């Protein structure tokens, strides 16, 4: 057995030695503390102090004691790579058990599996659609009540004076909703905060984010997003739908719920990372589809985020789930709205109908649109930069749940106050037409038969505000209203994203963009008052919305398709694409996309599409971890237990080698075995000696591994007696006998390509005698990235 | 050096030994002749008689002498796998030269490359759009003249009698056009026949189809398709656009034309299979986009056909090319139509505007739509079966160019005659409204102010007929007209596909489907005369068109999106998806898709998405070819020349091994070198001895390999003197030092996955001492497929 060290640079977690972590937060790479620099020499090999067993769902502590484990200040830096995340194993473990099962299965059996996959995708679609429907109706009811109460109150006090009471009422109602949502998220399930899109991106990329696809997360997410939207925050309910769809998929496809301790004995074949990840991608697509009524956009989103596993049948299934999801939502919402059969609510956000005639564009408008794209990119980069610093601040100072809830309450109160102030001081009165589509028109100080235009933007759910900006008659808003609204909402939305509430950033982005886009339209029209082309500011609102959203999230193809589908009009394909492209190019020049920023700040080992272009001079020998802990094909139980118990390593994959007996030749690689497999073997005491004595005992089957998936017990919970320690374990049957390998001279891009294309977790590096000399894992590859000054190497740290 | 045999079963080409091929055509596996069965034992290893050097563009003979080389009857069978096709090398050859170049390149250099890629994609889009524009205008002009002449003639003779003269005129005009198109295709470039989609599918799948992306092919394709459509055949101009786009991409991205002998010294970096294939996928997408005005559909088409190499930036570039292509077409067509700025011609086929109001659907119509999908599937399977037998017949009996041209002429004449007869005997007269949109309304025997309804379907380009069926007022066609039209057009289209003319099958399929779909709509409306829901038969025409097209081509996601984009109305997403899904499921039960049938009949080694499900019992040891011809790292020139010249092998990749000096240990794998590389080395005489004597000589660079790409000279054209044969060649610098390998026990699905995901051409199988024991190539994997009776193994044959 080789020795058990790993080339790694790290930071402790505060309570251990205080190397880093206390007092000196790492910001932006400028203040790397001394111990760090000493330890991070890429050549130095040393034993490391205290590592948890990372792979084995380390939430026992964090769930039971979410507060005590946290240090006061967490060192944070986007130049770190956390060791707490593990890879998903997208590569099938082809051991003898697996192969035997596959070989036993008939053609019919595979066909049944295929049908099950379709059934699961149908279920995912239906459930996701129902959840979306539930969220939509609840938000509508709650927000409706709230706005009705406040409207009546305002109307009462407008005449008699004392509108400050209305303000207080509004603020209190908002805070009440946000309090409930905030407490749930901060105390019960912090992973449910935000939109969940960064987490799902990571999951689809192949990173196992703890607790991200649990039932509890789903509950908190759904209730949390209802509270946030009803609480009047500058948030949308669309992002969380994507997360919800993913959780639904992960749950349904496994045919059981570990949280509820129910096993339906269904879909057992799908209990492994490979299948689960495929279904989660379907769930994410179904979520996008329900959120925007964009089934094709959903599929493209899933592809964009995790396409190392693209396959025609899979894509078609994902599309099926998406279609079912949007149809379910549409069907039930149309019943709810009392118009069954009228399928006009394909998504949570409905852009309303853009008729081609009224809002056709001409090709000489394209440069204008691109200019707006550039503005969107600039504003997006500003948004992201502000949010970046805010997030750093939050990580450093606002990490206690009570502080997080208080911040959320503060934002809720400020949002209400600002909105009220804006409405109060606005004197943009518009006539209330007979067929007005304002839900809660506030008269306030306007003349009779008129309403306050600022209130249509602020005193409404964001979805409705977006629709008003797209479709209200020209002249419904005056430019000052729009300008002020853009300004205030921009900062409110920026402050809100990252709070400990469930909330998406799509709708606020669209709203900001629609406001300044409409403003652009109005200004253009005022320059050329005779031309009918600029007549409809709704068109410019749409383009502005696309530009702003593109500038913030920087998605490409999928966002184009989502926008086109949400618009319901294919004609807008070209301008939307040009706008998104410009916004991305301009934005990328200054700052990354919002989701990427948050992923980086979480120090997730995210693999991009390709290795950095300038990394051809690196070879597998340089990037791999070595020396590697290997096991013999027949290994002593004690050795295995010791290795697994050794908290100073976080090894999850162990090459299995075979030694030629009575020879000094070096050992050859013959397989790869995972920690989780060894744990199951130890738990079932699959020892050579016991097998001989208990011949009648049933053989270990794949089912035993599947039953333990995905929450394998930690090694500490398995008792191995002193006698048993002397037994031997034969790994032949259980190891993956044909792991992928690369020679040590392989260039980094080549290693990266293999790793990424196959979704690997461990890649064994061998010499030309087939001896193990290293192991490449996700972190070894994610470490290298292209910074502004060429290739940079991130530090590994246990944050 | 190992010996040079390869486990292979084959059939000779007729002139050699007459083993198979003469007299006993192989149909459907039932009549395998004796010699075949003897040779195809999977275990027997034997030397084979006469193989051409397959990789090296073997069109010198076939171009110069397209007739003499052909045997009278070609044995054909979809259970064969041709040895004449080679793989594209999607894996970069990472030898020292390549790595040095990459390492020398700065970050800025990579950025410039990236910009070049975008520029190329833009050029691809523009050129593809222009070609589409040219085709459209030419067809409109020529067909316009033709129909005008015939119309006048008919009008003249309707009154005076003697309409048979009109018929003859029509038939002669059609035949004239088809004669030109047929001669070009049959005599100059047979690969330009048909729609080209099967060929592009193969190319994107990674198979090198000789001559498929040449300039000459493009010319013949474009002129050919104009002739076919103007010649009144039951064909469309959409399929060929995809092929044209691909050729444009292959040409532009290489920055030179070998046919024109012009080298623009641009884009030299992209002269390798990896880059070229990426661009070709962009070209295919641009073609789809121009054909249907469906940029997203185009991207999805490319993904569906060749997504082993999916990557966000690449997809985004492909989308860019698609958008530019449809915009270019739109822009120039709008100028041509005299309405610059009115962007209403996004594609060659224009479904016209479906307004949501007039043709909304209700969810209880969905089962009806699915029923229509099933009909489409059945009719599609029937179409494909008939075409399958027809294709077999053609391969056996109609393989001489003159026969092919004659068949095309026959079809043209019959088409004209049948159309004329149908129109003549039809008595479906419809009033000619003031705002009719019939281009050439034929009065014939109708009353004044009326026109013959059958003529709107037959006496028109197919695109216009489709649009009429979608949008003409309810009552424009009577059911009998539609029924007869469906019946005749079905058989005409079926007979036409596979002729030696450039022609697509999309539009005929749409037309057939639109006809019976409209018929369904009319019948439904007649059952429930009061309900306004069934009022618009155009909706059913659309669904029928989708069903029929889906039943024939069996594309999934991409076709859905193409249809939705062509319709211009997102509302139809769900019904179109359901219809296509039903059509595919029903159709697949009986017969494969049309393109797959043609690919199989060409015996192309096409790799599907996954290995057959029940192939886990096969391992690399069983599927690989062995023994393998290996070279030493420093090898004698004579040996290399002998191996390359040996016509009994078709080896293109040679593992390089290193022998430990003065030891009897077996040789270890240390690299892989390609035939094309060796040819370049021999041509430049890169011999160890010469290098010493001519120190001043410049070193061989990557440029030399790129200049020779892709038409490497055959080994016969390289002269090596007797002295030089004694020299040594050092392969170290040129071989790929880190080829992908698998252990011999790897299961077939695992080998398949690695091969497919990375787009490999050679995969070395090694034992646990890293010794070469076999080589897996595309044919070894494509051989296994899942038939109706479980796993089947195709025969390798040199057809």
């Amino acid at each position: 057995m080789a020795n058990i060290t790993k080339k790694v640079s790290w930071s402790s977690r505060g309570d251990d030695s205080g190397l880093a972590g206390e007092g000196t937060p790492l910001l932006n790479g400028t203040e790397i503390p001394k111990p760090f620099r000493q330890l991070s020499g890429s050549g130095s090999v040393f034993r490391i102090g205290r590592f948890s067993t990372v792979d084995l769902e380390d939430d026992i502590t964090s769930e039971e004691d979410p507060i005590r484990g946290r240090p006061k200040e967490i060192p944070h830096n986007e130049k770190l790579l956390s060791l707490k995340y593990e890879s998903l194993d997208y590569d099938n473990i082809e051991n003898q058990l697996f192969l035997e099962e596959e070989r036993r299965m008939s053609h019919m059996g595979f066909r049944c599996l295929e049908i099950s996959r379709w059934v699961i995708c149908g279920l995912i679609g239906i459930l996701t659609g129902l959840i979306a429907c539930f969220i939509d109706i609840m938000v509508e009811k709650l927000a409706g009540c709230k706005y009705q109460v406040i409207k009546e109150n305002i109307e009462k006090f407008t005449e008699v004076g004392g509108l400050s009471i209305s303000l207080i009422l509004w603020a209190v109602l908002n805070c009440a909703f946000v309090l409930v949502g905030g407490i749930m998220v901060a105390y019960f399930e912090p992973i449910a905060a935000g939109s969940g899109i960064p987490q799902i991106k990571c999951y689809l990329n192949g990173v196992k984010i703890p607790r991200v696809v649990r039932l509890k997360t789903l509950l908190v997410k759904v209730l949390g997003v209802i509270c946030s939207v009803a609480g009047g925050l500058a948030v949308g309910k669309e992002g969380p739908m994507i997360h919800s769809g993913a959780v639904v998929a992960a749950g349904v496809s496994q045919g059981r719920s570990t949280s509820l301790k129910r096993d339906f004995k269904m879909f057992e074949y799908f209990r492994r990372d490979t299948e689960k990840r495929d279904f989660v991608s379907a769930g994410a697509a179904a979520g996008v589809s329900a959120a925007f009524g964009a089934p094709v956009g959903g599929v493209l989103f899933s592809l964009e985020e995790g396409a190392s596993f693209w396959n025609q049948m899979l894509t078609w299934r994902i599309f099926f789930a998406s279609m079912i999801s949007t149809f379910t939502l549409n069907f039930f919402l149309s019943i709810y709205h009392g118009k069954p059969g009228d399928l006009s609510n394909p998504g949570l956000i409905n852009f309303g109908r853009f008729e081609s005639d009224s809002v056709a564009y001409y090709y000489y408008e394209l440069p204008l649109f691109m200019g707006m794209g550039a503005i969107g990119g600039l504003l997006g980069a500003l948004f992201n930069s502000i949010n970046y610093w805010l997030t750093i601040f939050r990580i450093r100072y606002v990490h206690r749940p009570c502080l997080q809830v208080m911040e959320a309450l503060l934002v809720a109160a400020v949002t209400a106050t600002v909105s009220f102030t804006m409405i109060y001081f606005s004197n943009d009165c518009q006539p209330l037409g007979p067929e007005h589509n304002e839900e809660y028109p506030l008269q306030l100080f306007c003349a009779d038969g008129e309403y306050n235009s600022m209130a249509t933007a602020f005193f409404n759910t964001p979805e409705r505000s977006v629709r008003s900006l797209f479709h209200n008659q020209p002249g419904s808003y005056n430019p000052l209203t729009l300008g002020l609204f853009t300004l205030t909402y921009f900062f409110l939305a920026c402050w809100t994203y990252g709070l400990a509430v469930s909330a998406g950033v799509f709708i606020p982005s669209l709203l900001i963009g629609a406001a300044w886009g409409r403003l652009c339209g109005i200004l253009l029209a005022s320059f050329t008052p005779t031309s009918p082309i600029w007549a409809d500011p709704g068109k410019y609102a749409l383009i502005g919305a696309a530009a702003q959203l593109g500038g913030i999230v920087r998605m490409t193809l999928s966002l184009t398709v989502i926008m086109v589908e949400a618009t319901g009009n294919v004609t807008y394909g070209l301008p939307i694409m040009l706008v998104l492209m410009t916004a991305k190019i301009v934005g990328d020049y200054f700052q990354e996309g919002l989701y990427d920023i948050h992923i980086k700040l979480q120090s997730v080992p995210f693999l991009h599409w390709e290795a950095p272009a300038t990394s051809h001079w690196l070879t597998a020998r340089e990037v791999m971890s070595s020396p590697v802990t290997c096991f013999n094909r027949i290994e002593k139980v004690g050795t295995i237990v010791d290795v697994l118990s050794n908290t100073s390593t976080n090894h999850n994959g162990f090459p299995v080698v075979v030694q030629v007996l009575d020879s000094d030749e070096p050992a050859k690689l013959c397989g790869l075995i995972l920690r989780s497999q060894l744990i199951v073997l130890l738990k079932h005491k699959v020892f050579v000696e016991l097998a001989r004595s208990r011949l009648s005992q049933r053989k270990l089957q794949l089912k035993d591994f599947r039953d333990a998936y995905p929450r394998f017990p930690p090694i500490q919970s398995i008792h191995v007696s002193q006698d048993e320690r002397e037994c031997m374990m034969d790994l032949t049957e259980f190891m993956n006998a044909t792991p992928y390998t690369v020679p040590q001279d392989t260039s980094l891009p080549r290693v990266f390509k293999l790793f990424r294309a196959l979704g690997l977790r461990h890649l064994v590096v061998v010499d030309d005698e087939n001896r193990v000399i290293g192991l490449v894992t996700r972190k070894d590859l994610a470490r290298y990235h292209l910074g502004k000054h060429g290739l940079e190497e991130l530090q590994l740290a246990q944050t």
Side-chain angles (χ1 to χ4, degrees), chain A:
Chain A
M1 214 197 74
N3 69 347
I4 318 164
T5 58
K6 185 163 168 24
K7 181 190 75 182
V8 66
S9 50
W10 66 304
S11 77
S12 85
R13 200 150 159 183
D15 57 340
D16 200 315
S17 60
L19 273 179
E22 272 180 45
T24 40
L26 310 174
L27 287 180
N28 219 6
T30 50
E31 306 174 60
I32 300 179
K34 248 189 186 163
F36 231 89
R37 238 175 274 142
Q38 282 176 353
L39 291 173
S40 63
S42 64
S44 65
V45 172
F46 54 90
R47 288 170 192 277
I48 35 179
R50 178 187 165 277
F51 267 131
S52 64
T53 54
V54 179
D55 185 30
L56 310 164
E57 300 278 327
D58 59 348
D59 44 284
I60 301 164
T61 33
S62 55
E63 266 190 335
E64 288 173 358
D65 189 353
I67 308 164
R68 193 158 49 86
R70 298 177 190 215
K72 263 174 136 180
E73 273 183 17
I74 300 168
H76 232 90
N77 183 327
E78 82 275 26
K79 303 258 185 247
L80 293 178
L81 213 53
S82 172
L83 287 172
K84 100 180 145 178
Y85 299 106
E86 278 300 313
S87 261
L88 292 169
D89 223 334
Y90 196 64
D91 184 40
N92 282 326
I93 304 156
E94 287 210 352
N95 55 19
Q96 287 184 19
L97 294 179
F98 177 81
L99 286 174
E100 273 163 27
E101 192 192 73
E102 295 282 308
R103 284 166 193 167
R104 263 203 309 276
M105 212 182 298
S106 67
H107 187 194
M108 212 53 213
F110 282 106
R111 199 161 272 185
C112 287
L113 278 182
E114 190 62 21
I115 293 172
S116 317
R117 290 198 185 100
W118 281 93
V119 170
I120 292 173
C121 282
L123 285 175
I124 292 170
I126 292 173
L127 288 176
T128 308
L130 285 176
I131 289 173
C133 194
F134 173 74
I135 292 178
D136 197 56
I137 294 176
M138 285 302 288
V139 166
E140 196 167 306
K141 288 274 178 216
L142 289 177
C145 287
K146 188 188 82 172
Y147 286 119
Q148 203 56 44
V149 167
I150 300 169
K151 182 169 152 42
E152 280 164 15
N153 189 284
I154 291 179
E155 276 165 4
K156 198 171 93 192
F157 285 107
T158 308
E159 290 165 31
V160 301
L163 272 175
S164 52
I165 295 171
S166 303
L167 168 60
I168 291 168
L169 176 72
W170 190 356
V172 166
L173 280 176
N174 274 8
C175 286
F177 280 118
V178 172
L179 182 67
V180 177
I183 285 177
M184 276 196 298
V185 170
Y187 284 96
F188 293 101
E189 196 51 277
I191 199 87
S195 71
I197 295 181
Q199 285 85 344
I200 296 303
K201 268 185 88 150
C202 293
Y203 190 95
L204 293 181
N205 191 262
V207 184
K208 189 188 270 174
I209 308 278
R211 303 194 309 285
V212 79
V213 289
R214 295 252 176 113
L215 184 61
K216 191 174 154 193
T217 311
L218 176 64
L219 283 178
V220 171
K221 193 110 214 170
V222 168
L223 298 178
V225 77
I226 293 173
C227 291
S228 329
V229 180
L233 292 179
V235 298
K237 55 195 189 305
E238 279 66 21
M241 263 323 294
I242 299 167
H243 192 168
S244 305
V247 183
V248 166
V252 170
S253 66
Q254 302 299 296
R256 69 173 167 196
S257 163
T258 325
S259 310
L260 298 182
K261 298 196 176 48
R262 287 291 297 271
D263 189 339
F264 298 97
K265 306 278 177 202
M266 285 156 67
F267 309 140
E268 293 182 346
Y269 185 85
F270 303 131
R271 291 178 190 171
R272 48 188 154 123
D273 283 351
T274 324
E275 298 280 351
K276 196 171 171 182
R277 188 170 144 198
D278 284 352
F279 286 115
V280 168
S281 65
V288 174
S289 172
F292 302 98
V296 180
V299 174
L300 289 174
F301 175 84
S302 277
L303 290 180
E304 247 185 40
E305 300 312 339
S308 63
F309 51 98
W310 210 76
N311 166 323
Q312 191 178 20
M313 281 320 281
L314 173 62
T315 319
W316 191 222
R317 271 203 305 276
I318 294 178
F319 187 51
F320 179 70
S322 300
M323 268 291 178
I324 295 287
S325 156
T326 176
F327 181 72
T328 307
L329 175 68
N330 210 335
F331 181 73
F332 285 102
L333 277 190
S334 72
I335 289 179
Y336 171 75
H337 290 306
K339 288 181 251 169
D342 171 41
L343 301 175
S344 59
N345 294 285
L348 288 182
I349 169 83
N350 186 344
F351 283 5
R353 183 173 295 162
F354 283 86
E355 288 301 347
S356 330
D357 295 328
S358 59
V359 282
Y361 65 92
Y362 293 86
Y363 60 85
Y364 42 83
E365 284 180 89
L366 292 178
L368 276 177
F369 294 159
M370 287 174 76
M372 289 175 70
I375 298 176
L378 285 174
L379 287 178
L382 180 66
F383 188 101
N384 293 357
S385 295
I386 297 175
N387 195 271
Y388 169 77
W389 291 110
L390 200 61
T391 309
I392 297 264
F393 179 85
R394 281 186 181 132
I395 291 172
R396 288 169 68 178
Y397 301 112
V398 199
H399 43 76
R400 283 176 188 282
C402 58
L403 284 177
Q404 291 175 338
V405 173
M406 278 165 61
E407 195 199 359
L409 289 181
L410 180 65
V411 175
V414 169
T415 306
T417 314
V418 169
S419 308
F420 190 86
T421 319
M422 299 293 286
I423 295 173
Y424 188 84
F425 288 108
S426 160
N427 50 5
D428 183 5
C429 292
Q430 301 289 344
L432 195 59
E435 50 192 20
H436 69 94
N437 43 16
E438 279 74 34
E439 192 81 357
Y440 316 104
L442 274 186
Q443 186 180 349
L444 221 64
F445 305 121
C446 292
D448 282 349
E450 289 193 337
Y451 68 95
N452 185 310
S453 176
M454 186 66 100
T456 54
F458 272 121
F459 193 66
N460 227 329
T461 56
E463 281 86 357
R464 283 187 192 281
S465 308
V466 171
R467 215 152 56 238
S468 308
L469 286 168
F470 285 167
H471 293 295
N472 276 6
Q473 288 302 310
S476 309
Y477 298 90
N478 77 37
L480 185 67
T481 308
L482 290 174
L484 282 173
F485 176 77
T486 305
L487 197 71
T488 48
Y489 210 81
F490 183 90
F491 290 105
L492 282 178
C494 193
W495 190 7
T496 310
Y497 189 78
L499 281 185
V501 294
S502 296
V505 76
F506 268 80
I507 298 297
S509 311
L510 288 174
L511 191 47
I512 298 165
W516 65 255
R518 200 176 169 105
L519 183 61
C520 288
I522 294 173
L523 295 180
L524 281 171
S526 70
F527 290 141
T528 51
T530 51
S531 167
I533 301 165
W534 327 99
D536 194 342
K539 175 169 66 176
Y540 285 88
L542 176 67
I543 297 296
Q548 184 66 56
L549 184 55
I552 290 175
V553 303
R554 311 278 166 77
M555 285 151 65
T556 53
L557 180 59
S558 57
L559 189 57
T560 313
V561 177
I562 288 173
M563 290 293 292
V564 170
E565 288 190 291
T567 317
N569 196 319
V570 177
T571 326
Y572 281 97
L574 181 71
I576 289 177
M577 185 199 77
L578 286 177
V579 161
L580 289 178
M581 198 175 258
T582 323
K584 184 172 165 62
I585 291 169
V586 173
D588 278 348
Y589 186 80
F590 297 101
Q591 179 65 279
E592 280 183 296
L594 189 60
Y595 299 138
D596 298 312
I597 288 176
H598 281 257
I599 288 173
K600 270 206 174 164
L601 284 174
Q602 294 293 321
S603 308
V604 177
F606 193 86
L607 289 187
H608 291 277
W609 292 103
E610 281 168 346
T614 55
S615 62
H616 275 276
W617 53 274
L618 283 167
T619 64
R621 199 186 308 109
E622 279 129 8
V623 302
M624 70 189 183
S625 306
S626 79
V628 187
T629 312
C630 296
F631 288 125
N632 287 309
R633 192 199 279 260
I634 296 178
E635 185 64 90
K636 233 179 87 183
V637 172
T639 315
I640 294 176
V641 172
D642 287 345
V643 169
L644 294 186
S645 311
N646 189 336
T647 49
S648 69
T649 59
N650 65 338
H651 296 184
N652 287 291
F654 304 91
V656 181
V657 294
V658 62
Q659 200 91 37
V660 183
L661 279 177
D662 303 323
S663 129
D664 57 350
E665 268 190 41
K668 310 271 183 198
L669 173 72
C670 70
L672 184 80
I673 197 155
L674 298 180
R675 173 186 286 266
S676 57
Q677 293 177 298
L678 291 172
I679 297 245
V680 174
L681 294 181
L682 286 173
K683 196 173 143 204
H684 288 84
K685 309 217 178 293
V686 188
F687 307 145
V688 176
E689 288 76 5
L690 293 182
R692 282 181 200 144
S693 64
R694 293 183 297 177
L695 275 174
S696 61
Q697 199 200 12
R698 87 175 172 83
K699 239 183 101 203
L700 203 65
Q701 291 176 324
L702 263 192
K703 189 178 178 314
D704 299 298
F705 292 94
R706 285 181 185 149
D707 284 345
Y709 177 85
R711 305 196 198 176
F712 297 100
I715 182 71
Q716 289 79 6
S717 74
I718 291 171
H719 179 71
V720 179
S721 71
Q722 205 57 39
D723 283 353
E724 284 170 341
R725 284 181 65 87
E726 298 303 317
C727 291
M728 301 300 275
M729 246 162 82
D730 184 355
L731 307 178
T732 314
E733 210 177 346
F734 308 105
M735 70 190 186
N736 179 354
T738 53
Y740 294 110
T741 59
V742 284
Q744 52 183 329
D745 291 325
T746 315
S747 71
L748 175 59
R750 200 170 171 83
V751 174
F752 195 98
K753 198 177 160 197
L754 180 68
F755 201 91
R756 183 80 164 87
L758 300 176
L760 297 183
R761 186 168 169 195
H762 301 100
L763 180 58
V764 187
V765 182
V766 292
D767 66 4
D768 58 3
E769 301 271 338
N770 205 29
R771 286 171 302 204
V772 181
I773 56 167
L775 200 62
V776 174
T777 60
R778 171 174 285 268
K779 279 146 214 155
D780 299 319
L781 297 176
R783 226 164 57 210
Y784 299 94
H785 85 125
L786 207 59
K788 292 215 166 150
H789 313 291
L791 202 63
E792 291 174 359
E793 193 176 338
L794 302 179
Q795 307 294 337
L796 295 180
Q798 198 183 26
T799 50

